[in-house]
Amino acid sequence: MNKKERERKVEALLSEITLEEKIGMIHGSEFFKSAGVERLGIPPIVYSDGPNGVRKDFEPARMKEKGTTADEVGCGPCNTSIASTWNRSLAWGSGRMLGEEARGRGKDMILAPGINIKRNPLCGRNFEYMSEDPYLISELVVPLIEGIQETDVSACVKHFACNAQEYERFMVNVEVSDRALREIYFPGFEAAVKKAKTRALMGAYNLVRGSHASQNKWLLTDVLRKEWKYNGLVVSDWGAIHDTKAAAESGLDVEMAVIPEFDDYYMAKPLLKAVKAGEIDESLVDEKVRNIIRFLINIRKIDVEIKKTAGGKESARAVPVPERNRGTYSNPAHAMRALDTARESVILLKNEDKRLPILPEKAKKILVIGDNADRKHSDAGGSAEVKALFEVTPLLGITKSYGGNTVVDYARGYYVPEEKKYAPDEQMPWEEYIKMSKAKDPRYSRTYSADEKKLIKKLKAEALALAAEYDEVIFVGGLNHEYDVEDKDRRDMKLPFGQDELINDLLDVNPNMVIVMFAGSPVDMTAWSDRAKAIVLMAYNGMEGGSALGEVISGKVNPSGKLPETLPMGFENTPVAHFGEYPGRKLTKEESGRINANITQTFNEGVFVGYRYYEKFNVPVQFPFGHGLSYTKFTYRGLSIKDVKGKPVDKRKMSDGLFVVSVKVKNTGDTCGKETVQFYTGEANPSKDNPVKELNGFEKIELKPGEEKTVSVVLPVKAFSHYDESVGDWVMMKGEMKIYAASSSADVRLTKNVKI
Ligand code: BGC
């Protein structure tokens, strides 16, 4: 259907709907549904979390699980893992799987992907997000959304914008410069809107510049709709709306929340009353309904039939589209997709003396230690929880990778207290949940009973005794979803459950021990990282995560993941701490009069987020952005820069290609491997206000031993431009620039200068 025809249908159907019915369509009618109009054949919209799998089913007006097996699904790697692959086609495959599963489960919109900038290592939801770098996010979010949307469902990119902490997440106001917004916080969303054509976007809980993001007119209308020409759906985060008039006027379409009094939502009865009283114009409501109808047509849930009535007038009604994709879920093909992505997301941080791989023919006995080796993570973390059909743990993955000729034993090593679980019909009310989230954090004020203390000692003694007996010991620890979790930030980057001490003691008895860290956000490994010979990092890697780990450790798969964020030494070393307002300051008197927030957090570091900060201020890090080793070696040569031929470059057009940059990369080792070649750009003599260098291109290639390939990228005008606040637009830099070909942000192999 062409655009003109679609818009005619939208208008025809809109004209049939009464004001009361329109109001009924623009707010939740269940926790994960917004109503249609039965009389006109308009179906409801069915929403579901989340970023790595379709969430379980709940009762309509209670967060009580339905509790059958019908919602056991495929579970892919989380967004941090997807970003660690640096592989656009795996991002597409992950999206495609998510879309098919969502459709198979009868959903219209999957509340994903989450792409907030990983600004602060302590943010509880970091595992749901991709990276600290806007270019890497933009490159991966586009295929991911395209993959989802090919299946006749909608993605819902979230949380727009500046959602960077969980502490006071409903009531933290963010102040941020225009330049940081344009260069760091907006590009991922802009790519999702303009390139991937996302059909939906979710506003954030936090405030941006004094107004709650989900009802922020500047963000949702001026930037999103007018500047980026977005005509998709805008959904609030669940419970993010605070005012009827602001919401109605903001550019928001659907208000969602998790309270069962649906008629009391701001965009329900209160809005109807205000429209009837003439305080809010009905045309604002019409615009929202227009967006909803267009959305339903775009996901092929409805078509609109227009008929001429006897009197020559037209009448319209919605009809289902029988050819709509019916999706599929929980099938072997999806498990394979999850495995493909998991394999490439495993990051080899350190590998002295070629500790890894531990080849099966050489390993008679392996000891695996650590709670995370034997823990399933999928069904936790908050709204990103997934009731996975199965989840291969690291212990299972490692054991099955070695087969029957190797004995794999296990010792838990450290104690993880079980979280208090609510019985299914003992669901905590929303208000109480919010109150609880503000109470003293039990994770940091934990006391242990005498029995627990005994158990802790016993587990440690057992692990130490066994570690001395085994040649091959693999420790699998890190965080779990008690720490990588929605609604709570961590206090520090330290490992929980006494792991630092245990790892050091284990290294005393077995200095060859391999260490695997599970984490969706940076953890501080400095207590033992110098002593460890091999360190592997992975985030929550989905249903086949353990299989992928086993394959990497045993050498069946050569690791090729690279860090999508810097691992700083500790929170004190981060830009957030250095420029410091985290977790937020009290509002000034003037702010209290005008802003409905509890605290303000100014992003004082501006564009110096992640490696942009560490490089500029010479701050040492544990492991740099883009780092990740392979079992083979790659050499780089012949960096060449050529002008893009063809039509003359328009320097105001940021997407216009400027240079073709090429480099030859050779596998000089003896195993097949994959390398992500990274291209950074910066000024030859970086000025005070600009980062030293920024990622502006990458390609991942596979090379056989001895094979060489040429990798080329086109660097556009934008790679040499910055947002100039005095002009209110992007402006190209002048003078001598440097182009870097690198294996990580700190492992620059070749550079060349060009004049602009
Ligand atoms: C989260 C969203 C999620 C929504 C629905 C909110 O609390 O912030 O990311 O999609 O709940 O579960």
Side-chain angles (χ1 to χ4, degrees), residues 40 73 123 141 192 216 243 277 309 345 384 408 417 419 454 503 650:
L40 295 167
V73 293
C123 173
V141 77
N216 186 317
D243 182 86
T309 55
S345 73
V408 180
E419 269 182 90
K454 242 194 238 158
I503 293 173
D650 179 349

Side-chain angles (χ1 to χ4, degrees), residues 434-447:
I434 292 171
K435 233 195 253 158
M436 188 203 68
S437 71
K438 287 189 182 153
K440 203 169 168 195
D441 191 336
R443 297 174 299 176
Y444 298 93
S445 52
R446 188 168 270 147
T447 50

Side-chain angles (χ1 to χ4, degrees), residues 494-561:
K494 294 261 180 271
L495 287 174
F497 316 121
Q499 290 178 77
D500 280 341
E501 202 188 297
L502 175 65
I503 293 173
N504 268 320
D505 291 351
L506 287 166
L507 285 171
D508 286 344
V509 296
N510 194 323
N512 283 331
M513 180 171 80
V514 169
I515 299 175
V516 179
M517 284 285 114
F518 248 81
S521 0
V523 289
D524 180 353
M525 300 179 277
T526 53
W528 43 264
S529 52
D530 281 349
R531 303 179 63 201
K533 288 187 178 165
I535 308 176
V536 174
L537 177 71
M538 60 191 263
Y540 307 96
N541 256 356
M543 65 201 303
E544 288 283 8
S547 308
L549 180 68
E551 291 176 346
V552 165
I553 293 208
S554 62
K556 284 193 193 90
V557 164
N558 190 350
S560 66

Side-chain angles (χ1 to χ4, degrees), residues 57 353 398 465 485 582 697 723 731 747:
D57 286 326
D353 304 338
I398 291 169
V485 68
Y582 178 77
Y723 188 84
V731 173
D747 184 5

Side-chain angles (χ1 to χ4, degrees), residues 31-32 48-51 55 58 63 111-112 125 128-129 158-159 163 166 169-170 202-203 205 236-239 256 258 382-384 430 433 486:
F31 285 176
F32 291 98
S48 175
D49 286 300
R55 200 177 181 186
F58 295 101
M63 291 299 277
L111 304 171
R125 293 185 88 171
E128 288 190 56
Y129 305 142
K158 67 191 187 183
H159 310 87
N163 192 212
E166 291 300 289
R169 64 176 177 156
F170 305 106
M202 187 190 293
Y205 278 134
S236 76
D237 200 343
W238 271 233
M256 297 301 288
V258 205
S383 57
W430 184 242
Y433 167 72
E486 184 167 341

Side-chain angles (χ1 to χ4, degrees), residues 697-756:
F698 67 86
E699 272 318 315
K700 189 167 191 172
I701 49 161
E702 180 163 21
L703 292 170
K704 295 189 197 83
E707 192 183 5
E708 186 175 62
K709 276 184 188 163
T710 301
V711 180
S712 297
V713 297
V714 175
L715 294 177
V717 174
K718 197 166 190 177
F720 302 93
S721 304
H722 282 291
Y723 188 84
D724 185 335
E725 293 184 351
S726 66
V727 181
D729 206 348
W730 289 81
V731 173
M732 198 171 173
M733 292 186 281
K734 286 194 193 98
E736 192 91 351
M737 299 290 146
K738 201 187 262 308
I739 294 174
Y740 304 72
S743 181
S744 87
S745 62
D747 184 5
V748 172
R749 300 296 179 86
L750 297 162
T751 65
K752 235 184 190 161
N753 287 7
V754 279
K755 262 226 160 70
I756 300 214

Side-chain angles (χ1 to χ4, degrees), residues 5 27 54 80 92 129 151 174 192 206 278 286 331 337 352 375 431 480 484 492-493 521 544-545 578 585 679 723 732:
E5 195 186 340
H27 62 84
V54 186
T80 296
W92 172 84
Y129 305 142
T151 63
V174 170
N206 53 281
D286 284 349
N331 60 41
R337 276 206 197 282
E352 268 173 17
R375 179 172 290 271
E431 291 77 7
N480 59 28
D484 274 321
D492 51 47
M493 279 173 45
S521 0
E544 288 283 8
H578 180 86
R585 59 164 174 80
F679 295 94
Y723 188 84
M732 198 171 173

